[in-house]
Amino acid sequence: MGWAISVHGGAGDIPLSLPPEKRLPREAGLRRCLDVGIAALKAHNHPLDVVELVVRELENNPHFNAGKGSVLTTSGTVEMEACIMDGKTMKCGAVSGVSTVVNAISLARLVMDKTPHIYLAFDGAEAFAREQGLETVEMSHFITPENIERLKQAQEADRVQLDYTQPIQKEVPKDAALADGDSQIGTVGCVAVDNEGNLATATSTGGIVNKMVGRIGDTPIIGAGTYANHLCAVSATGRGEAIIRGTIARDVAAVMEFKGLSLKEAAAYVIDQVPRGNAGLVAVSSTGEVAMPFNTTGMFRACATEDGYSEIAIWDSPTK
Amino acid sequence: MGGWAIAVHGGAGVDPILPNERQEEATRLLTRCLDIGISALRSNLSAIDVVELVVRELETDPLFNSGRGSALTEKGTVEMEASIMDGPKRRCGAVSGLTTVKNPISLARLVMDKTPHSYLGFAGAEEFARKQGVELVDNEYFITEDNVGMLKLAKEANSILFDYRIPTLTTCGGGAAMENQLQMNGLPISLYAPETVGCVVVDKQGHCAAATSTGGLMNKMTGRIGDSPLIGSGTYACDLVAVSCTGEGEAIIRSTLAREVAAVMEYKGLNLHEAVDYVIKTRLDEGKAGLIAVSKNGEVACGFNTTGMFRGCATEDGFLEVGVW
């Protein structure tokens, strides 16, 4: 037993040659968010509050594809989505099409806590945010020059870009192409369990570069990108379509329950079922285990457990 | 075993004092839709085409809560959503927040077939619809007098019972004031309008498909998304089975109901009937919902923990049943 926490900043074709100026700020971001989460758990905050706090940090960090730093739609706008779930009560909240709310994950939390609904989107979500007095800003707040450039490149290449961490280049390598191009690299997420076995998960994203206006990915879909019950809490990242049809987050818990697998085995099993290069996830169990499997080149991730173990990684590590 | 099978539904949770006339109308519509599906199956249409065809019929008819006849938002407008899933390869398409698209299920199909995405919502979905040249109408087209009246009553009920901004304590059974009245989602059943529609089919090739469409919850907040467009919650199809759910959206989402049926078949080895039974009995807790399902072996099953579910099912070997209770 004991608490455990895991954080991700997106899975994808993160090239091993990722230059330091792109790698270091992200590693630093993960480290900082992990520390924020650890401190909160040590202070006996409920995992639901912990995951919201950590994801808010990730949203505010412009190096990740959520909140500030979100990738752009084909119209050059930002449409963010987020989702939060409490494993014990199975209460959940989700939002999509958010363009002015500084922290979409907090809006999702309010949908969960303050409405009889689970999921609000677009104008309705924005109106609710204002009603609740959440911090809102001009959409330009979220847009970074890097993402403007990425969109430009994607539109020139006339494809939906896979990996937002790829150095912006004129020629996108052929093997990075996907026939239907729907990928959701760069989502952020956090899962946590306290030493009483309370579980929670939170995921947030800007979506995929050059996405159609109105496109919704896996992140706000309970059971796809986000899920928690009494067994485990899961946050997934990767190609949205693959995650949706694979009901990835839900399946980890289902496999634990119905096949009696451990968290690590269940998480690995579920990721194995997804075509290579498409998904990754972070998960914690009620007994304090952690799993961070991925079948992409890399996944920005970090984890820590009460017994003192901690890890920050991008590519394969000896202990996965 | 084997052969085609089809099931349709027009919502779980029926007012026990529903007038006979209305029951008859519902039965006629379900029978008509079943017949359309059966003809299509006999003509060798694939499962995915059949479910779309049948749900279009249900959307066009103003009786149930989808397309024309949709429940109204708190503003008195209609916002529709739908999803469709093709078992082989588990391809899927979904839409939400539609206000002018005559047949939401067909737009969901286009999202699946013509975009690199799985789900489009609101203005973006409407724009896509325009570009695809699907039939568009004014929002007024979907609004029926019946529902305008229901909305008014729902607002009155809410203002007496509770403020929607306060989280509901239970998903049914309500507060002290509503002790003896049948409720779903905090509203008296007569006002709740849970009549989401859906269709599941397995064709002669053993391919399964599912489709679900709805106007959503009466008096919902604008922008509210329920279970119907969410893959794994309201709709799911894979190699083994196809499922479409209806009832309290929030309960269906929390329990990822549609996926649950498939998961217990896949991971616990239950057959279709056992799976449907198990899921309805153990996965809904306080929530009220129902579902229809078909398996690749040509079996069909319905399950619900509500008072009634508008449904119809048929199999190739001649079984046919339409029911309300």
Side-chain angles (χ1 to χ4, degrees), chain B residues 2 6 54 93 129 143 147 155-156 184 191 212 232 247 273 279 304 317:
Chain B
I6 176 172
V54 171
I143 300 174
N147 281 319
K155 283 184 184 292
E156 280 164 20
M184 278 175 74
L191 306 179
T212 314
H273 292 273
V279 166
F304 49 97
D317 60 15

Side-chain angles (χ1 to χ4, degrees), chain B residues 220-241:
Chain B
K220 64 183 178 178
M221 292 169 73
T222 53
R224 178 261 190 182
I225 292 176
D227 64 291
S228 299
L230 303 187
I231 298 296
S233 289
T235 306
Y236 187 77
C238 61
D239 283 331
L240 291 178
V241 66

Side-chain angles (χ1 to χ4, degrees), chain A residues 254 257-259, chain B residues 260 262-271 274 278 283:
Chain A
E257 187 179 343
F258 301 134
K259 285 170 92 83
Chain B
E260 206 66 9
V264 299
M265 287 176 75
E266 221 175 298
Y267 299 132
K268 272 172 85 94
L270 298 191
N271 69 32
E274 292 168 335
Y278 175 82
R283 296 288 146 162

Side-chain angles (χ1 to χ4, degrees), chain B residues 10-322:
Chain B
V14 184
D15 188 352
I17 56 162
L18 190 74
N20 274 336
E21 193 186 284
R22 180 103 171 162
Q23 288 185 52
E24 278 160 25
E25 266 186 279
T27 309
R28 272 200 299 275
L29 176 58
L30 290 165
T31 307
R32 199 175 86 235
C33 289
L34 216 51
D35 285 341
I36 287 169
I38 293 170
S39 291
L41 281 162
R42 287 190 179 138
S43 315
N44 283 320
L45 250 61
S46 64
I48 190 79
D49 289 331
V50 179
V51 297
E52 183 189 354
L53 192 63
V54 171
V55 171
R56 281 178 66 94
E57 193 62 34
L58 289 160
E59 285 171 340
T60 306
D61 193 296
L63 188 65
F64 295 131
N65 174 14
S66 70
R68 182 142 182 268
S70 280
L72 307 181
T73 68
E74 59 177 0
K75 297 205 162 98
T77 56
V78 161
E79 280 179 5
M80 300 166 289
E81 46 197 20
S83 65
I84 191 166
M85 192 162 187
D86 195 9
K89 298 190 188 172
R90 290 171 296 160
R91 301 182 313 127
C92 42
V95 288
S96 278
L98 298 185
T99 53
T100 67
V101 176
K102 186 153 180 269
N103 288 101
I105 197 63
S106 292
L107 192 67
R109 175 96 192 251
L110 287 170
V111 172
M112 179 174 83
D113 288 343
K114 298 277 169 76
T115 77
H117 303 323
S118 302
Y119 191 5
L120 287 182
F122 297 83
E126 291 271 321
E127 181 58 32
F128 175 63
R130 262 190 297 283
K131 291 206 169 109
Q132 290 292 313
V134 303
E135 194 174 353
L136 302 176
V137 291
D138 283 334
N139 199 246
E140 280 72 46
Y141 163 85
F142 304 102
I143 300 174
T144 59
E145 258 187 66
D146 251 5
N147 281 319
V148 171
M150 297 283 226
L151 180 64
K152 191 158 164 287
L153 292 174
K155 283 184 184 292
E156 280 164 20
N158 272 351
S159 65
I160 296 166
L161 291 175
F162 58 81
D163 184 326
Y164 82 81
R165 286 181 290 268
I166 297 166
T168 49
L169 293 170
T170 56
T171 48
C172 75
M178 300 297 292
E179 255 174 74
N180 296 323
Q181 218 168 328
L182 206 57
Q183 272 202 67
M184 278 175 74
N185 241 101
L187 281 176
I189 192 124
S190 51
L191 306 179
Y192 171 62
E195 303 149 343
T196 294
V197 303
C199 179
V200 291
V201 162
V202 56
D203 60 27
K204 293 184 191 176
Q205 278 70 49
H207 295 151
C208 301
T212 314
S213 181
T214 191
L217 193 57
M218 185 65 77
N219 200 26
K220 64 183 178 178
M221 292 169 73
T222 53
R224 178 261 190 182
I225 292 176
D227 64 291
S228 299
L230 303 187
I231 298 296
S233 289
T235 306
Y236 187 77
C238 61
D239 283 331
L240 291 178
V241 66
V243 185
S244 172
C245 306
T246 164
E248 292 178 326
E250 281 71 16
I252 294 168
I253 293 173
R254 233 175 251 130
S255 59
T256 52
L257 204 61
R259 172 60 184 136
E260 206 66 9
V261 174
V264 299
M265 287 176 75
E266 221 175 298
Y267 299 132
K268 272 172 85 94
L270 298 191
N271 69 32
L272 183 72
H273 292 273
E274 292 168 335
V276 171
D277 239 19
Y278 175 82
V279 166
I280 292 289
K281 283 202 172 83
T282 68
R283 296 288 146 162
L284 285 169
D285 296 328
E286 301 293 304
K288 293 293 190 198
L291 62 92
I292 51 173
V294 290
S295 74
K296 70 169 198 246
N297 297 325
E299 303 160 280
V300 66
C302 316
F304 49 97
N305 68 358
T306 49
T307 319
M309 177 168 81
F310 291 114
R311 68 208 180 272
C313 32
T315 59
E316 189 165 9
D317 60 15
F319 172 75
L320 189 135
E321 180 186 82
V322 175

